[in-house]
Amino acid sequence: MPVNKILKKRALIPGKTTELTLDAPEIARKAKPGNFVILRINESGERFPLTIADADAGAGTITIVYLVLGRSTAMLEALEQGDSILDLCGPLGQPTDIHKVGTVICVGGGTGIAAMHHIAKGHAQAGNRVVSVIGARSADLLLFEEELRKFSHEVLVATDDGSRGEKGFVTQILQKRLEEDPQIKEVVAVGPVPMMRAVAGVTRPFGVKTVVSLNSIMVDGIGMCGACRVRVDNNIRFACVDGPEFDAHQVDFDELMLRLGSYVTQEKESYKRYCECHESKN
Amino acid sequence: MNQKTKRLPRVSMPMQDAQLRRGNFSEVALGYTLEQARTEAGRCLQCKKAPCQLGCPVEVDCKQFIRHVAEGRLDEAYSVIKATNSLPAICGRVCPQEKQCELKCKLLPTGQPIAIGRLERFVADSYYAENPCDAVTGGDECRLLRDDLKVACVGSGPSSLTVAGYLAALGIPVTVFEALHEVGGVLVYGIPEFRLPKSIVRTEVEFLKRMGVEFKTNWVVGKTVGIRELMDEGYQAVFIGVGAGLPKFLGIPGESLLGVYSANEYLTRVNLMRGYRFPEVDTPVAAGRHVVVLGGGNVAMDAARTALRLNAEKVTIVYRRTKEEMPARLEELEHALEEGVVLENLAAPIAFNGDEHGRLISLTVQRMELGEPDDSGRRRPVPVKDAYFDIPTDLAVLGIGTGPNPVLLRETPELTLNKWAYIKADPETGETDIPMVFAGGDIVTGAATVVLAMGAGRKAAREIARRLGVEQ
């Protein structure tokens, strides 16, 4: 059985966003850009999905990046190098549809930059001209800028407060590029739902193919339950087996937002209990 | 003697009281005592040609094991059962015996058939702590494993566990690949604790491990590894028993509202993830006050009874036909009604309605009436014109069936599918269109029963053993 040991733990944004390199040779061998894994930290833990941010088949490792947002990610954050994750299952989902098409703009927001990074790398390896556009509230919350520079032909940065790159949103940079450059063949966006919805809105008038990676709630991640169902072109699709990537111009983002809120109350309760328990032990 | 025993009623099974049990997840049926089991077994006529065995999809020699029970030889009874059934504690609990072995019982026409399922369960439960190899080889040692052979089972539900048990008993090393983190398939994520305690599944799996079966969890065949790769790695035969896990939705308005679940999701959250213990465990499950369950099969019964145990005030099962056409086991339906589940028959769902926050508030249904019989011989439900009404609900569970899961099928295009998109397999041997790749259970037949999946597994296992030269 794979032992899923944490080989390396790196704080990308201390206390908030962390990168883990895991020993998972079977998953690494098969992982392609766009794939994800399902994790379970301990016996009472829930199953939750995280995108594979990078994979090294030779070394037998995969990389995951998470934002500490609730109980499960806090439990993950409490693990150290050398610890193991109880259950790690993957690679799941359809890989990104990558072909040599010309210029591709890859847009990433927040923790989504990590997932976008793997997809952008795939596009670069396929011989596409990759323009990476990344955004965050401020400079200290940006991820993977250096890594993206290694293979991107351009890296453009936007911050809400202007502390790095352009002041404003990634959509403003995207809008400008689409107006100036008619050669853009495809846009990929990964990040918070409002960002992906805004990207879809920007590209729609240009008729440029736009792909988004959806982050719906999942349980099994293998098509058994339909918790992750999303509406695409008015059909029900399961993000875990039909996606997670879909044509951004056909996704019902309102419904996705609604369904992501299914368990807000329980999520808060669970996290609060964890934090209280954690504090009392210290 | 026969005339006298015929008139004795079957020994009733002790049960948890209906009012008490709807407040807990403990097993409802408590099982026979030794005395009760011997009395019940004593009713058996010991027919010359015992038709009960023919009614069993895995051909348990019912007459023999019942005779052993009647005479108090439980170990021998266990050996007889185990010779053809690798999961007796499970079958004794979840088989629809009234449609199988007990339907063939000669006592049925004039009285109550022998409670074969309850006796099987009693024997398996009594014999738990013993050595699993004993039943196979008559000793403490299982047969030496053949190091020149190995077989892979994909999925760890009833069909695969049967294949694994059968082959392991012949000394053939088997590796079972399971996508979830726990072994058992529908036995752990679908059937609730109050009908099949998880400890029983774990014990059966433990037996198989002691017989040399290896289990690999978190392996999604089709993703983590492919069928072709397994064969390249030296597995001489592969058995595909991945079930029919893809839930169907109705495609009616409002199906994405908060509060609408597939039965698979609802039951997985509760059973596999133990969501009923939230926040002690981390997986939340929505607890509805007015729950509506759509469908008339065992899955619908399980979902409805689960909702009661999660403190629903009212649980209504909505079904298009009448009570008589419900495919659920009679016993489960009766248990559900005793516990307070309400039936709304001859009603078909039209739309889910929500409030301004996207939360489910009601289900609109249309009244149906029975029309002419259809191809299956059942009278077809026909909508009554303009007869609509709303059922208030904050949690709806869809138990309307499942389809073939695409994960393995998409990655294995060489597999030929039948017209319902399930795997095409030889009905006699279970072999698919890929040589030495076998399939059985729900992925071949569509959603059926645990014991039918086991029967298919048994058939395939026998053929695999024959092809590998281990059995005639």
Side-chain angles (χ1 to χ4, degrees), chain A residues 31-273:
Chain A
K32 293 203 176 73
N35 284 145
F36 66 93
V37 286
I38 290 269
L39 305 89
R40 195 170 71 118
I41 311 294
N42 63 20
E43 283 297 339
S44 63
E46 64 179 341
R47 297 169 66 94
F48 64 102
L50 285 176
T51 305
I52 298 172
D54 212 346
D56 185 334
T61 61
I62 61 163
T63 303
I64 52 173
V65 173
Y66 56 88
L67 172 69
V68 179
L69 207 60
R71 184 180 183 119
S72 290
T73 41
M75 279 161 58
L76 192 54
E77 183 65 7
L79 299 178
E80 295 299 334
Q81 189 176 313
D83 290 343
S84 286
I85 291 166
L86 180 63
D87 295 300
L88 184 65
C89 179
L92 301 172
Q94 297 297 318
T96 312
D97 186 18
I98 294 176
H99 295 287
K100 189 168 176 189
V101 289
T103 302
V104 177
I105 298 186
C106 297
V107 186
T111 320
I113 303 171
M116 182 278 267
H117 157 265
H118 199 200
I119 298 168
K121 198 167 155 186
H123 274 294
Q125 280 166 357
N128 288 322
R129 185 183 150 78
V130 172
V131 179
S132 294
V133 181
I134 56 174
R137 281 207 316 279
S138 56
D140 55 330
L141 299 177
L142 279 168
L143 306 179
F144 281 88
E145 190 183 337
E146 250 172 73
E147 285 85 347
L148 284 164
R149 286 196 191 282
K150 285 179 193 158
F151 56 79
S152 305
H153 297 79
E154 283 174 73
V155 177
L156 306 170
V157 179
T159 47
D160 296 8
D161 63 358
S163 52
R164 181 156 176 84
E166 283 191 36
K167 183 170 163 37
F169 301 122
V170 285
T171 41
Q172 291 163 320
I173 297 178
L174 180 65
Q175 173 85 30
K176 223 168 107 197
R177 287 306 291 244
L178 286 166
E179 284 165 1
E180 288 165 1
D181 186 352
Q183 293 306 309
I184 292 159
K185 290 288 188 284
E186 196 175 325
V187 173
V188 177
V190 192
V193 178
M195 186 213 92
M196 293 194 285
R197 175 173 29 202
V199 166
V202 168
T203 61
R204 189 174 280 114
F206 293 90
V208 174
K209 179 187 174 188
T210 305
V211 174
V212 283
S213 178
L214 304 185
N215 53 335
S216 45
I217 291 176
M218 290 186 187
V219 182
D220 52 85
I222 51 175
M224 273 176 48
C225 83
C228 66
R229 63 192 189 271
V230 289
R231 198 169 293 276
V232 183
D233 194 20
N234 220 18
N235 294 311
I236 289 183
R237 307 288 295 278
F238 291 3
C240 70
V241 290
D242 300 321
E245 290 170 20
F246 293 100
D247 179 345
H249 298 148
Q250 305 203 320
V251 169
D252 186 335
F253 287 105
D254 291 337
E255 194 173 287
L256 176 65
M257 274 304 267
L258 172 72
R259 293 187 55 79
L260 280 171
S262 298
Y263 292 99
V264 171
T265 320
Q266 290 99 323
E267 282 163 5
K268 277 187 189 147
E269 184 189 352
S270 189
Y271 192 25
K272 195 172 144 236
R273 266 176 75 109

Side-chain angles (χ1 to χ4, degrees), chain B residues 13-18 20-32 88-94 117-118 121-122 125 128 191-201 276 305 309 329 331-332 335 339:
Chain B
M13 170 108 92
M15 302 268 172
Q16 261 201 84
D17 172 73
L20 191 71
R21 74 192 189 225
R22 62 171 282 181
N24 67 53
F25 276 85
S26 309
E27 194 172 17
V28 167
L30 302 172
Y32 280 152
I90 293 165
C91 283
R93 286 173 166 83
V94 304
R118 293 173 182 182
R121 168 193 161 141
F122 169 75
D125 286 0
Y128 248 173
I191 303 176
E193 182 80 16
F194 55 81
R195 209 148 71 79
L196 177 66
K198 301 297 154 258
S199 58
I200 286 178
V201 183
Y276 60 91
R305 298 173 69 197
R309 285 159 173 77
R329 274 187 80 189
E331 187 177 305
E332 303 313 327
H335 283 173
E339 288 165 10

Side-chain angles (χ1 to χ4, degrees), chain B residues 108-434:
Chain B
L108 182 61
T110 52
Q112 289 175 303
I114 294 289
I116 302 174
R118 293 173 182 182
L119 290 173
E120 181 181 39
R121 168 193 161 141
F122 169 75
V123 171
D125 286 0
S126 312
Y127 206 63
Y128 248 173
E130 304 298 323
N131 191 326
C133 303
D134 192 47
V136 174
T137 59
D140 287 345
E141 296 282 318
C142 285
R143 280 183 210 195
L144 284 178
L145 292 181
R146 291 273 302 262
D147 57 8
D148 56 329
L149 297 174
K150 60 175 182 172
V151 172
C153 289
V154 181
S156 69
S159 68
S160 274
L161 292 183
T162 302
V163 173
Y166 190 100
L167 297 178
L170 294 169
I172 301 172
V174 180
T175 310
V176 178
F177 295 89
E178 167 55 48
L180 292 173
H181 58 264
E182 203 170 313
V183 170
V186 73
L187 307 173
V188 294
Y189 76 75
I191 303 176
E193 182 80 16
F194 55 81
R195 209 148 71 79
L196 177 66
K198 301 297 154 258
S199 58
I200 286 178
V201 183
R202 267 187 234 114
T203 309
E204 296 284 24
V205 168
E206 202 48 46
F207 276 14
L208 291 172
K209 283 184 186 165
R210 282 159 67 185
M211 288 169 74
V213 178
E214 186 190 2
F215 289 93
K216 286 178 182 259
T217 49
N218 297 313
W219 281 70
V220 186
V221 174
K223 293 287 182 187
T224 319
V225 68
I227 298 283
R228 186 56 61 196
E229 288 166 287
L230 288 176
M231 308 214 57
D232 291 345
E233 280 172 30
Y235 290 97
Q236 286 105 334
V238 177
F239 175 79
I240 301 173
V242 293
L246 191 84
K248 283 184 184 155
F249 286 87
L250 290 158
I252 64 174
E255 215 160 17
S256 301
L257 289 167
L258 302 187
V260 182
Y261 293 86
S262 75
N264 265 13
E265 178 182 353
Y266 187 64
L267 292 172
T268 298
R269 283 179 179 273
V270 178
N271 298 330
L272 179 71
M273 307 311 296
R274 321 275 192 273
Y276 60 91
R277 286 169 47 203
F278 181 88
E280 254 177 81
V281 300
D282 302 345
T283 305
V285 55
R289 279 176 59 227
H290 296 142
V291 179
V292 163
V293 177
L294 305 178
N298 287 326
V299 171
M301 300 303 133
D302 287 345
R305 298 173 69 197
T306 295
L308 279 181
R309 285 159 173 77
L310 292 173
N311 296 322
E313 282 169 26
K314 186 177 181 190
V315 179
T316 309
I317 290 180
V318 173
Y319 182 58
R320 290 190 311 152
R321 304 176 194 246
T322 66
K323 194 174 156 189
E324 284 63 44
E325 281 94 21
M326 283 186 142
R329 274 187 80 189
L330 190 63
E331 187 177 305
E332 303 313 327
L333 176 60
E334 280 169 1
H335 283 173
L337 295 174
E338 279 165 24
E339 288 165 10
V341 169
V342 178
L343 285 187
E344 184 64 73
N345 284 115
L346 291 167
I350 299 297
F352 295 103
N353 312 301
D355 64 10
E356 69 274 23
H357 305 296
R359 297 201 168 271
L360 177 68
I361 51 171
S362 69
L363 169 69
T364 302
V365 297
Q366 183 167 18
R367 183 55 77 202
M368 310 293 276
E369 59 189 4
L370 288 185
E372 294 301 308
D374 62 11
D375 296 344
S376 69
R378 297 193 298 182
R379 290 178 67 191
R380 191 195 304 271
V382 187
V384 179
K385 197 166 172 279
D386 297 331
Y388 299 98
F389 60 101
D390 280 7
I391 303 173
T393 174
D394 53 350
L395 184 81
V397 182
L398 280 71
I400 52 165
T402 53
N405 189 300
V407 171
L408 178 126
L409 305 181
R410 275 184 195 156
E411 312 286 327
T412 323
E414 314 93 281
L415 283 170
T416 311
L417 305 182
N418 63 24
K419 64 174 169 174
W420 298 280
Y422 293 104
I423 295 176
K424 186 173 151 248
D426 185 317
E428 292 311 311
T429 63
E431 194 171 24
T432 66
D433 281 357
I434 309 176

Side-chain angles (χ1 to χ4, degrees), chain B residues 19-163:
Chain B
Q19 281 315 305
L20 191 71
R21 74 192 189 225
R22 62 171 282 181
N24 67 53
F25 276 85
S26 309
E27 194 172 17
V28 167
L30 302 172
Y32 280 152
T33 60
L34 174 62
E35 201 188 344
Q36 288 169 327
R38 289 190 64 171
T39 308
E40 178 61 22
R43 293 174 59 232
C44 178
L45 301 175
Q46 291 292 311
C47 311
K48 204 163 193 183
K49 278 186 188 168
C52 42
Q53 185 172 7
L54 303 175
C56 172
V58 293
E59 297 161 8
V60 168
D61 188 345
C62 307
K63 173 184 157 182
Q64 283 305 325
F65 100 77
I66 291 170
R67 189 166 59 87
H68 288 309
V69 175
E71 292 166 11
R73 289 187 305 269
L74 296 187
D75 50 349
E76 289 187 36
Y78 188 72
S79 293
V80 170
I81 297 171
K82 263 296 211 199
T84 64
N85 186 346
S86 13
L87 309 168
I90 293 165
C91 283
R93 286 173 166 83
V94 304
C95 272
Q97 290 100 2
E98 71 273 16
K99 293 175 189 160
Q100 297 172 340
C101 51
E102 294 176 12
L103 180 68
K104 304 274 180 172
C105 180
K106 290 245 173 98
L107 285 174
L108 182 61
T110 52
Q112 289 175 303
I114 294 289
I116 302 174
R118 293 173 182 182
L119 290 173
E120 181 181 39
R121 168 193 161 141
F122 169 75
V123 171
D125 286 0
S126 312
Y127 206 63
Y128 248 173
E130 304 298 323
N131 191 326
C133 303
D134 192 47
V136 174
T137 59
D140 287 345
E141 296 282 318
C142 285
R143 280 183 210 195
L144 284 178
L145 292 181
R146 291 273 302 262
D147 57 8
D148 56 329
L149 297 174
K150 60 175 182 172
V151 172
C153 289
V154 181
S156 69
S159 68
S160 274
L161 292 183
T162 302
V163 173

